[in-house]
Amino acid sequence: MAAAGRLSVHVRESPAAAPRTLVGPRRAPAGRLSSAAASEPAAPGAGPAARRELPPRLRQAEATKRKHQTSSEAPPAKRRNEASFLPARKAAAKETQRTFKGKAQKTFSPKKSLVGVTNGNREQKLCIRTSSLFKNNPEIPELHRPVVKQVQEKVFTSDAFHELDLHPHLISTINTVLNMTSMTSVQKQSIPALLEGRDALVRSQTGSGKTLAYCIPVVQSLQAMKPKIQRSEGPYALVLVPTRELALQSFDTVQKLLKPFTWIVPGVLMGGEKRKSEKARLRKGINILISTPGRLVDHIKSTKNIHFCRIRWLILDEADRILDLGFEKDITVILNALNAECQKRQNVLLSATLTEGVTWLAGISLLNPVRISVLDEHHGQSDLKGRTVPEASPLPACGELDSFAIPESLDQHVTLVPSKLRLVTLAAFILQKCKFEKDQKMLVFFSSCELVEFHYHLFLQTLPSCSGTLASGRPPSASTQLKFLRLHGNMAQEERTAVFQEFSHCETGILLCTDVAARGLDLPQVTWIVQYNAPSSPAEYIHRIGRTARIGCHGSSLLILAPSEAEYVNSLASHKINISEIKMEDILSVLTRDDCFKRSRWGSQKSRASGPQEIRERATVLQTVFEDYVHSNERRVSWAKKALQAFIRAYATYPRELKHIFHVRSLHLGHVAKSFGLRDAPQKLSVTTVKRRKANLNRPDLHKKSHSTHHRLAEILRSEYSSGMEAGIAKVEKQNKHAEPGSQPRIAVCSQCPALAVGKTKKHFP
Ligand SMILES: Nc1ncnc2c1ncn2[C@@H]1O[C@H](COP(=O)(O)OP(=O)(O)OP(=O)(O)O)[C@@H](O)[C@H]1O
């Protein structure tokens, strides 16, 4: 049952097949989702009395829909007036209509595309029905992309590590074990400042070497302590990171640096492991402790052998995420525990994105901090000579909060795709890059665990079977075989770690993931980042795309937006993020390179379509592959519906400042359903939070609107960044792991951390 104030989406089945328009007090356009459901919508298939209660315009829409009942098409949806922010691309739109405008539903037989159909009976399965993908779509607006000058940083310096005053063994480890000689800009600025004993707030672009920027000073200072550190003395340095994978990665780096200093013991606490064995390791002693906040809180509360009296360093990597929603209670507990035991330590906050949260914490927590920000001197904000910004300006200037540095060698793209075509466009893009191009490694970001699971199984079961004959007649080579992996917060830890390792080491592959992979992960040779669901903030956009183009390498990104979301490009531009457009048609055109998407009409006759018509037909064949898979049994249909619900749930959690772009009311349920391989929109989908909120209008105590939004967002984040100790989750994870592809996934609802009996501390640090 959903907790009060939390979004829940209810789907009630009804025998009628036609998609429903939901009716609420604030009426949505026909076919669009209305989140306000105070007046109960007339049920599909409900009697005439119920229908009579609909306003005349909607009654008409209902009638039109009944006419369309055999197709999954909702009646033509009236577009919202998008001209206010982007004038319609009239000429181009006409062209699109001319070339892509579909006829009504057609009958055809997709060649070699029927999932679960063996070669023998494949040809017999004719007359598969797929409604038109290219009909009644909203116009794709012309993207008047403002060209902005991106903030850029210089990654490398010509200065070598041996120029620093470090232990010779540490320098030789950096040179020989890590294979590094010159410092990056952020390392050149941070290492000396931290070795002076200063607190610091460090910002530099993704993939610029921030991990070593704090690890080297920590190791240098701890190895120099006299008398030598004893393992049994416990933690001298505490490193907090938001995810388990990042904890593992940072642990790996620290371990390498400690090779010559065997008396210093590093350790990682990250959930997923048995609490008992972590307790045992803590008892033996860990000197550099790397942990996720949730897991550390669990130990603070339950492990006697954890103490912080010798802590000299506190590092918050990805500080803005750690201080963000969902972690604030954990951080409060940790800081209170630290402050109770140790009085003097060095505090370091690092991130590629400096947000208000970090600034606030820096303001109250860092003592006489140095701010290190690597920015291009051409922008007049730089300090590339290696100087650090003096105490007089420890915090960033206001304007700096709004723009982020982006790796110079990162090409960013956006494509506008109507909802119905999203799934085929994503699949075509994956095929284009990972089947027809060599050595591509791709990350695809989704908004929730359920979406990752759904698309993972769907693509795993369908796309490799589409890798039949290329248009050239050649069979695909082994190197063009598609390898799908997935990573999200609801997976069992062993599987998460295995996937992380596998994707790190493989040369090609497609990792479908949630934001659990957005922060800090250093996955080698990633060439493409695809954002299938837009991120909830520009900072998250930066971190997601930052998984490619690291440390001076080249990389590309693609953001997939619905036409109604086009304004998001302007929103990114206001943060100095520059994106160029790729046309959806150009992505779909790759399907003409693969003969398994060739359509044959009525069994044998090949389609003679060419150009845009051929692309349209092949996209329809691919959509049919997906729909066949989803509709091949009831469990898969219900699974797709759950994924659709999860999508809408996540869509409802965009922050207020983005609601004018991403609002559930602008979603067309029938069209969105197609992007989940559903032929019909689920019946009576209602988002009951709004209803509940309405009902609470007379309850001033429940008026904390922003709190409930925060709470929902925190719940979602928490499911991604959980400590791994939540009761019951392990069981669900295990069941999911062994679930049959396409079977009903059990969705673990990660509970909030139990209420913590610690009040908010005003001053956390000495
Ligand atoms: N001086 C250096 N020379 C060569 N490679 C380096 C150097 N410093 C770091 N690297 C490599 O650069 C990559 C990125 O480093 P790191 O993960 O620390 O970046 P980051 O700034 O923390 O990124 P993010 O903001 O995404 O967390 C790693 O593979 C690391 O080994």
Side-chain angles (χ1 to χ4, degrees), residues 209-235:
K210 289 187 287 296
T211 313
L212 281 180
Y214 71 79
C215 285
I216 291 174
V218 167
V219 171
Q220 168 66 23
S221 75
L222 297 188
Q223 64 77 32
M225 285 183 73
K226 296 280 177 316
K228 269 186 181 179
I229 285 177
Q230 302 288 310
R231 176 176 189 174
S232 58
E233 289 168 351

Short mmCIF file of all heavy atoms in Angstrom, two decimals, residues 209-235:
data_model
loop_
_atom_site.label_atom_id
_atom_site.label_comp_id
_atom_site.label_asym_id
_atom_site.label_seq_id
_atom_site.Cartn_x
_atom_site.Cartn_y
_atom_site.Cartn_z
N GLY A 209 40.17 13.23 -12.80
CA GLY A 209 41.15 12.71 -11.85
C GLY A 209 40.99 13.20 -10.42
O GLY A 209 41.96 13.29 -9.67
N LYS A 210 39.74 13.43 -10.00
CA LYS A 210 39.52 13.92 -8.63
C LYS A 210 39.84 12.84 -7.58
O LYS A 210 40.22 13.16 -6.47
CB LYS A 210 38.07 14.40 -8.47
CG LYS A 210 37.78 15.69 -9.22
CD LYS A 210 36.42 16.25 -8.93
CE LYS A 210 35.29 15.47 -9.58
NZ LYS A 210 35.30 15.47 -11.04
N THR A 211 39.67 11.58 -7.96
CA THR A 211 39.91 10.51 -6.98
C THR A 211 41.35 10.56 -6.47
O THR A 211 41.60 10.55 -5.26
CB THR A 211 39.62 9.12 -7.61
OG1 THR A 211 38.38 9.20 -8.29
CG2 THR A 211 39.56 8.03 -6.56
N LEU A 212 42.29 10.65 -7.40
CA LEU A 212 43.69 10.73 -6.97
C LEU A 212 43.99 12.05 -6.29
O LEU A 212 44.88 12.14 -5.45
CB LEU A 212 44.62 10.52 -8.16
CG LEU A 212 44.82 9.08 -8.62
CD1 LEU A 212 45.77 9.04 -9.81
CD2 LEU A 212 45.38 8.22 -7.48
N ALA A 213 43.22 13.07 -6.67
CA ALA A 213 43.45 14.39 -6.08
C ALA A 213 43.26 14.36 -4.57
O ALA A 213 43.88 15.13 -3.84
CB ALA A 213 42.52 15.42 -6.71
N TYR A 214 42.41 13.46 -4.07
CA TYR A 214 42.31 13.35 -2.60
C TYR A 214 43.04 12.11 -2.06
O TYR A 214 43.55 12.12 -0.95
CB TYR A 214 40.84 13.38 -2.13
CG TYR A 214 40.00 12.16 -2.44
CD1 TYR A 214 40.09 11.00 -1.68
CD2 TYR A 214 39.07 12.17 -3.48
CE1 TYR A 214 39.29 9.89 -1.95
CE2 TYR A 214 38.29 11.06 -3.76
CZ TYR A 214 38.40 9.92 -2.99
OH TYR A 214 37.64 8.82 -3.27
N CYS A 215 43.11 11.03 -2.87
CA CYS A 215 43.76 9.80 -2.36
C CYS A 215 45.25 10.01 -2.11
O CYS A 215 45.79 9.51 -1.12
CB CYS A 215 43.57 8.65 -3.36
SG CYS A 215 41.92 7.98 -3.33
N ILE A 216 45.92 10.72 -3.00
CA ILE A 216 47.38 10.89 -2.85
C ILE A 216 47.70 11.65 -1.55
O ILE A 216 48.51 11.16 -0.74
CB ILE A 216 48.00 11.57 -4.10
CG1 ILE A 216 47.93 10.59 -5.28
CG2 ILE A 216 49.44 12.01 -3.85
CD1 ILE A 216 48.36 11.17 -6.63
N PRO A 217 47.06 12.80 -1.27
CA PRO A 217 47.37 13.47 0.01
C PRO A 217 47.03 12.62 1.23
O PRO A 217 47.76 12.64 2.22
CB PRO A 217 46.50 14.73 -0.03
CG PRO A 217 46.13 14.93 -1.44
CD PRO A 217 46.16 13.61 -2.11
N VAL A 218 45.92 11.87 1.16
CA VAL A 218 45.55 11.03 2.32
C VAL A 218 46.65 10.01 2.57
O VAL A 218 47.15 9.86 3.70
CB VAL A 218 44.18 10.34 2.08
CG1 VAL A 218 43.94 9.24 3.12
CG2 VAL A 218 43.05 11.35 2.13
N VAL A 219 47.08 9.30 1.52
CA VAL A 219 48.09 8.26 1.69
C VAL A 219 49.42 8.89 2.14
O VAL A 219 50.08 8.39 3.06
CB VAL A 219 48.26 7.44 0.38
CG1 VAL A 219 49.46 6.51 0.45
CG2 VAL A 219 46.98 6.65 0.10
N GLN A 220 49.79 10.00 1.49
CA GLN A 220 51.04 10.67 1.86
C GLN A 220 51.04 11.04 3.35
O GLN A 220 52.00 10.79 4.06
CB GLN A 220 51.23 11.92 0.98
CG GLN A 220 52.33 12.87 1.42
CD GLN A 220 53.73 12.28 1.32
OE1 GLN A 220 53.96 11.33 0.56
NE2 GLN A 220 54.68 12.81 2.09
N SER A 221 49.94 11.61 3.82
CA SER A 221 49.93 12.07 5.22
C SER A 221 49.89 10.89 6.20
O SER A 221 50.55 10.92 7.23
CB SER A 221 48.77 13.03 5.46
OG SER A 221 47.56 12.32 5.53
N LEU A 222 49.14 9.84 5.86
CA LEU A 222 49.04 8.72 6.82
C LEU A 222 50.32 7.89 6.88
O LEU A 222 50.70 7.42 7.95
CB LEU A 222 47.84 7.82 6.47
CG LEU A 222 46.46 8.47 6.55
CD1 LEU A 222 45.36 7.42 6.38
CD2 LEU A 222 46.24 9.23 7.85
N GLN A 223 51.01 7.75 5.74
CA GLN A 223 52.25 6.95 5.78
C GLN A 223 53.34 7.68 6.56
O GLN A 223 54.27 7.06 7.08
CB GLN A 223 52.71 6.58 4.37
CG GLN A 223 53.11 7.71 3.45
CD GLN A 223 54.47 8.31 3.73
OE1 GLN A 223 55.38 7.60 4.18
NE2 GLN A 223 54.61 9.61 3.47
N ALA A 224 53.20 9.02 6.67
CA ALA A 224 54.24 9.79 7.34
C ALA A 224 54.04 9.86 8.85
O ALA A 224 54.88 10.38 9.57
CB ALA A 224 54.27 11.21 6.75
N MET A 225 52.92 9.35 9.33
CA MET A 225 52.64 9.49 10.78
C MET A 225 53.59 8.67 11.62
O MET A 225 53.90 7.52 11.29
CB MET A 225 51.19 9.08 11.05
CG MET A 225 50.21 10.15 10.58
SD MET A 225 48.53 9.73 10.98
CE MET A 225 48.54 10.01 12.73
N LYS A 226 54.04 9.28 12.69
CA LYS A 226 54.94 8.59 13.62
C LYS A 226 54.31 8.64 15.01
O LYS A 226 53.87 9.72 15.43
CB LYS A 226 56.31 9.28 13.64
CG LYS A 226 57.07 9.25 12.32
CD LYS A 226 57.74 7.90 12.16
CE LYS A 226 58.48 7.68 10.88
NZ LYS A 226 58.05 8.01 9.59
N PRO A 227 54.24 7.57 15.76
CA PRO A 227 54.62 6.23 15.33
C PRO A 227 53.67 5.74 14.24
O PRO A 227 52.59 6.29 14.06
CB PRO A 227 54.45 5.40 16.61
CG PRO A 227 53.46 6.15 17.43
CD PRO A 227 53.63 7.59 17.11
N LYS A 228 54.13 4.69 13.59
CA LYS A 228 53.36 4.15 12.47
C LYS A 228 51.94 3.78 12.90
O LYS A 228 51.74 3.27 14.00
CB LYS A 228 54.04 2.87 11.97
CG LYS A 228 55.04 3.12 10.87
CD LYS A 228 55.52 1.77 10.37
CE LYS A 228 56.55 1.95 9.29
NZ LYS A 228 57.04 0.67 8.80
N ILE A 229 51.05 4.00 11.98
CA ILE A 229 49.65 3.63 12.22
C ILE A 229 49.53 2.13 12.46
O ILE A 229 50.20 1.33 11.79
CB ILE A 229 48.82 4.03 10.98
CG1 ILE A 229 48.63 5.53 10.96
CG2 ILE A 229 47.51 3.30 10.92
CD1 ILE A 229 47.90 6.02 9.73
N GLN A 230 48.73 1.74 13.45
CA GLN A 230 48.44 0.32 13.68
C GLN A 230 47.07 0.00 13.11
O GLN A 230 46.15 0.82 13.24
CB GLN A 230 48.39 0.04 15.19
CG GLN A 230 49.65 0.37 15.94
CD GLN A 230 50.75 -0.62 15.63
OE1 GLN A 230 50.54 -1.83 15.71
NE2 GLN A 230 51.92 -0.10 15.25
N ARG A 231 46.95 -1.15 12.56
CA ARG A 231 45.66 -1.56 12.01
C ARG A 231 44.56 -1.47 13.07
O ARG A 231 43.46 -0.98 12.82
CB ARG A 231 45.78 -2.99 11.48
CG ARG A 231 44.47 -3.52 10.98
CD ARG A 231 44.55 -4.88 10.38
NE ARG A 231 43.26 -5.16 9.75
CZ ARG A 231 43.00 -6.21 9.04
NH1 ARG A 231 43.94 -7.10 8.81
NH2 ARG A 231 41.81 -6.38 8.50
N SER A 232 44.89 -1.95 14.27
CA SER A 232 43.87 -2.03 15.33
C SER A 232 43.38 -0.65 15.77
O SER A 232 42.38 -0.54 16.48
CB SER A 232 44.44 -2.78 16.52
OG SER A 232 45.62 -2.09 16.95
N GLU A 233 44.09 0.41 15.37
CA GLU A 233 43.67 1.75 15.79
C GLU A 233 42.41 2.24 15.07
O GLU A 233 41.84 3.26 15.43
CB GLU A 233 44.82 2.75 15.58
CG GLU A 233 45.95 2.51 16.57
CD GLU A 233 47.23 3.28 16.21
OE1 GLU A 233 47.30 3.85 15.11
OE2 GLU A 233 48.15 3.28 17.02
N GLY A 234 42.02 1.54 14.04
CA GLY A 234 40.78 1.90 13.35
C GLY A 234 40.95 3.04 12.37
O GLY A 234 42.07 3.41 12.00
N PRO A 235 39.83 3.63 11.96
CA PRO A 235 39.89 4.59 10.85
C PRO A 235 40.60 5.91 11.15
O PRO A 235 40.33 6.55 12.16
CB PRO A 235 38.42 4.86 10.52
CG PRO A 235 37.59 4.08 11.43
CD PRO A 235 38.47 3.35 12.40
#
